[in-house]
Amino acid sequence: MTMRNTLDEKMIVLISCALHGTTPEKEQVEKLDLAALYDLAEAHSLTAIVCMALEAADAFSTADPKLKKKWLDAKNKAIRKNMLLDAERGQILKEMEKAGIWYMPLKGSILKELYPRFGMRQMADNDILFDPAGQKEVTHIFLRRGYKAEVLGRGNQDVYMKPPVYNFEMHTALFGSGIHEGWTAYYCDVKKRLCPDAGRKFGYHFTDEDFYIYITAHAYKHYSISGTGLRTLLDLFVLNWKKGDVLDREYINAELKKLGIAEFEEKSRRLAKKVFGTAATLKETDLTEEERELLAYYSGSGTYGTTEIRVENKLRELQPDGEAITVRTKLRYICLRVFPGREQCRDQYPFFYRYPLLLPVLWIYRMVRGAVIYRKRLGTEIRTVKRKSQK
Amino acid sequence: MRLKEGFITHEEDGEQIMVATGDMDFSGLVRSNRTAAFIVDSLKEETTKAAIVEKMAEKYDASREVLEKDVEIILGKLRSIGALDE
């Protein structure tokens, strides 16, 4: 697998330029297919940072005005969304303070502050960890503010949405059950790991080290299930770039080992540094074959991963011998998907977890829903399993 | 007059960005230079056009005529997006 001379590689150079405040060279933006680049950047939630690099290089001077507007709109929307989410989060946290519910903002809302310019790090939503004992009151807070509860009481997060851009994921735990063995236990008493915010009674934050560990674990969760895109690699780079000198590596490594992700972190960190550490174009010899494959995996995943990668990873989990996927493995996969067992329902369908005798009702519901609502996604999943059988 | 509560600002590199929260009709983004940002910031509390011009005269080395004209232009723009409570 190679990244040489691909659009991915050109986008990476542009991102690095924006990050390090250098103007991309003329040949780096010349003959760029700005429409294809837009689609790629959008798939990775990186339109804003790429747009900033393109603006610096004056790449829009000869571009189709509609395309130029599309890029600028995407950048401005990212800036606007970050501002709106910040302001709204502030209001929600104030209400949680008043209600006496402890809380800690997670992920993007913290990471974005480490990027050199506002809006560079796009946010789709806002994640907040909070006291599970305050779950009902938190629901009242959101409903009072005009939100619709999209997901409530299922798994470890409730999802609230309100037009035009507000999307809050409220976590009662950092990871749901069945994600990775031991993670739920590691984070079960998470509050013990938190530090109180100055000037707030109920606000908390991780130490830099524990934040780094959590971000890595979260990245690995997506990486190992459906894949995760270049923004994750970029986050990891920015985190090391801005905090690397003060982090207690010994502690981090020991904790990452406990979570079983020390190797993933080391490989991703090294790759991220090679890829985003300089604004120069990557040379063929800069990356090892393994690093090229890892980069291709990040590049091929998009922000939220893909169904294809999820299916492939699950098949590999069921058959970890590295050999070609057998018919038996595929049948096991299909059985698990069509007839999920009680344990699989713990987070997603707690009602059926409590009443396992009713599982057949769920199976029929899922079959009908899959055929009617998720037809396309189901088609991709079936095709991926089928392709595996042809290998 | 004052800036409506649903409008929020962010400052970076000498530029101010202003957007409206979901309760407002305006869905765009306003970029202001330092002078315009000064006027917007003055409007974060109840004020008058004359008071803004007065504050600007203390800060900027320009004639009152020029300052009044600038303030009027910015107020006009803010009015056009429904950002002023008058």
Side-chain angles (χ1 to χ4, degrees):
Chain A
M1 232 178 269
T2 178
M3 292 285 300
R4 296 284 301 139
N5 298 321
T6 61
L7 198 58
D8 305 56
E9 191 190 51
K10 288 174 184 167
M11 183 170 83
I12 284 168
V13 174
L14 291 172
I15 291 166
S16 303
C17 286
L19 215 52
H20 297 285
T22 53
T23 305
E25 286 167 26
K26 217 175 173 185
E27 63 263 26
Q28 285 169 327
V29 293
E30 255 175 7
K31 295 175 191 167
L32 257 180
D33 181 346
L34 290 177
L37 182 65
Y38 182 90
D39 292 340
L40 180 65
E42 194 180 36
H44 287 274
S45 302
L46 292 166
T47 41
I49 189 169
V50 177
C51 181
M52 288 173 191
L54 291 172
E55 280 182 299
D58 201 21
F60 295 127
S61 57
T62 54
D64 169 14
K66 272 188 190 170
L67 191 56
K68 177 182 174 182
K69 186 177 180 303
K70 196 174 168 183
W71 273 103
L72 296 178
D73 281 353
K75 184 192 76 171
N76 288 335
K77 273 183 190 169
I79 292 170
R80 176 174 179 259
K81 188 167 184 175
N82 282 9
M83 283 178 72
L84 294 183
L85 284 173
D86 280 355
E88 184 70 2
R89 188 178 62 255
Q91 295 301 316
I92 286 163
L93 297 185
K94 256 187 204 168
E95 295 211 32
M96 290 176 80
E97 276 280 336
K98 255 192 245 166
I101 303 166
W102 71 258
Y103 57 84
M104 175 174 74
L106 300 167
K107 300 189 284 190
S109 59
I110 313 289
L111 283 167
K112 77 177 174 54
E113 300 299 326
L114 301 176
Y115 279 67
R117 279 178 67 189
F118 189 78
M120 264 188 177
R121 203 322 185 144
Q122 289 168 236
M123 286 201 294
D125 52 32
N126 246 214
D127 298 85
I128 299 170
L129 178 73
F130 71 103
D131 184 357
Q135 199 166 7
K136 274 189 184 162
E137 184 51 35
V138 165
T139 301
H140 290 315
I141 290 172
F142 277 95
L143 296 183
R144 266 203 310 271
R145 297 185 68 81
Y147 282 79
K148 194 179 160 201
E150 294 289 326
V151 178
L152 200 56
R154 260 170 46 184
N156 64 317
Q157 64 189 44
D158 294 334
V159 180
Y160 301 94
M161 293 173 101
K162 183 173 82 168
V165 298
Y166 304 111
N167 179 349
F168 280 80
E169 288 188 4
M170 301 299 291
H171 301 253
T172 50
L174 289 179
F175 294 99
S177 61
I179 296 290
H180 285 283
E181 216 180 307
W183 286 19
T184 321
Y186 181 88
Y187 281 116
C188 74
D189 204 358
V190 67
K191 198 156 173 257
K192 275 190 177 166
R193 295 177 185 274
L194 309 184
C195 316
D197 290 349
R200 285 177 182 164
K201 218 170 164 188
F202 297 97
Y204 288 85
H205 61 276
F206 270 136
T207 60
D208 286 343
E209 285 79 11
D210 279 326
F211 181 69
Y212 187 91
I213 292 160
Y214 166 65
I215 287 297
T216 308
H218 178 258
Y220 184 75
K221 182 189 94 171
H222 288 290
Y223 173 90
S224 63
I225 298 174
S226 308
T228 187
L230 289 169
R231 191 182 66 177
T232 298
L233 197 62
L234 183 59
D235 281 345
L236 201 57
F237 170 74
V238 172
L239 199 44
N240 277 290
W241 182 36
K242 296 290 175 177
K243 298 275 184 182
D245 293 344
V246 295
L247 290 176
D248 178 351
R249 287 276 168 207
E250 212 173 300
Y251 170 76
I252 289 175
N253 287 340
E255 298 305 292
L256 290 174
K257 273 182 191 156
K258 285 183 198 166
L259 293 167
I261 52 174
E263 193 185 339
F264 163 76
E265 185 275 335
E266 192 189 350
K267 285 179 179 173
S268 293
R269 174 167 40 87
R270 282 192 183 169
L271 175 65
K273 193 178 178 186
K274 283 189 181 180
V275 168
F276 296 116
T278 147
T281 307
L282 278 173
K283 288 191 216 84
E284 188 78 48
T285 50
D286 288 341
L287 302 181
T288 63
E289 184 58 31
E290 191 186 23
E291 285 169 339
R292 277 197 289 274
E293 281 188 17
L294 184 58
L295 183 55
Y297 184 80
Y298 276 110
S299 295
S301 296
T303 315
Y304 306 108
T306 67
T307 304
E308 283 197 32
I309 292 176
R310 179 173 56 76
V311 173
E312 283 177 22
N313 284 339
K314 189 69 193 170
L315 285 168
R316 203 35 79 193
E317 188 189 314
L318 293 173
Q319 191 194 311
D321 59 8
E323 300 292 321
I325 298 295
T326 63
V327 176
R328 190 186 150 88
T329 304
K330 278 180 287 149
L331 285 174
R332 267 184 75 200
Y333 175 87
I334 291 164
C335 279
L336 284 170
R337 292 288 290 142
V338 179
F339 309 112
R342 185 177 177 228
E343 268 311 307
Q344 285 170 273
C345 296
R346 188 194 286 264
D347 282 349
Q348 199 71 8
Y349 305 104
F351 174 80
F352 293 98
Y353 179 76
R354 280 198 300 275
Y355 305 103
L357 280 177
L358 292 174
L359 274 175
V361 178
L362 174 68
W363 297 340
I364 293 165
Y365 162 73
R366 277 171 54 88
M367 276 187 248
V368 174
R369 191 186 59 165
V372 178
I373 303 172
Y374 299 121
R375 214 186 174 90
K376 215 173 158 186
R377 204 190 293 173
L378 204 61
T380 311
E381 189 166 350
I382 292 165
R383 276 195 301 278
T384 308
V385 176
K386 211 175 156 193
R387 260 204 308 278
K388 278 279 166 192
S389 70
Q390 287 164 349
K391 276 180 187 170
Chain B
M1 72 176 100
R2 65 175 297 157
L3 193 69
K4 277 189 185 164
E5 277 209 2
F7 283 81
I8 52 175
T9 59
H10 174 83
E11 277 78 31
E12 189 178 70
D13 297 336
E15 183 185 59
Q16 184 189 64
I17 299 167
M18 184 171 74
V19 300
T21 57
D23 306 329
M24 303 287 135
D25 289 333
F26 180 67
S27 60
L29 184 145
V30 180
R31 289 178 187 279
S32 303
N33 61 19
R34 284 182 202 277
T35 319
F38 184 87
I39 298 168
V40 171
D41 284 340
S42 303
L43 286 158
K44 286 180 180 170
E45 50 193 46
E46 190 63 40
T47 187
T48 61
K49 183 184 159 188
I52 298 172
V53 172
E54 193 61 41
K55 265 174 89 175
M56 288 187 73
E58 285 169 22
K59 187 174 166 76
Y60 297 104
D61 183 23
S63 72
R64 261 175 202 279
E65 267 182 343
V66 169
L67 293 176
E68 270 177 20
K69 213 172 154 188
D70 282 351
V71 171
E72 195 47 62
I73 289 169
I74 300 299
L75 290 179
K77 285 187 177 165
L78 293 173
R79 258 183 218 113
S80 72
I81 60 167
L84 288 185
D85 252 339
E86 292 178 281

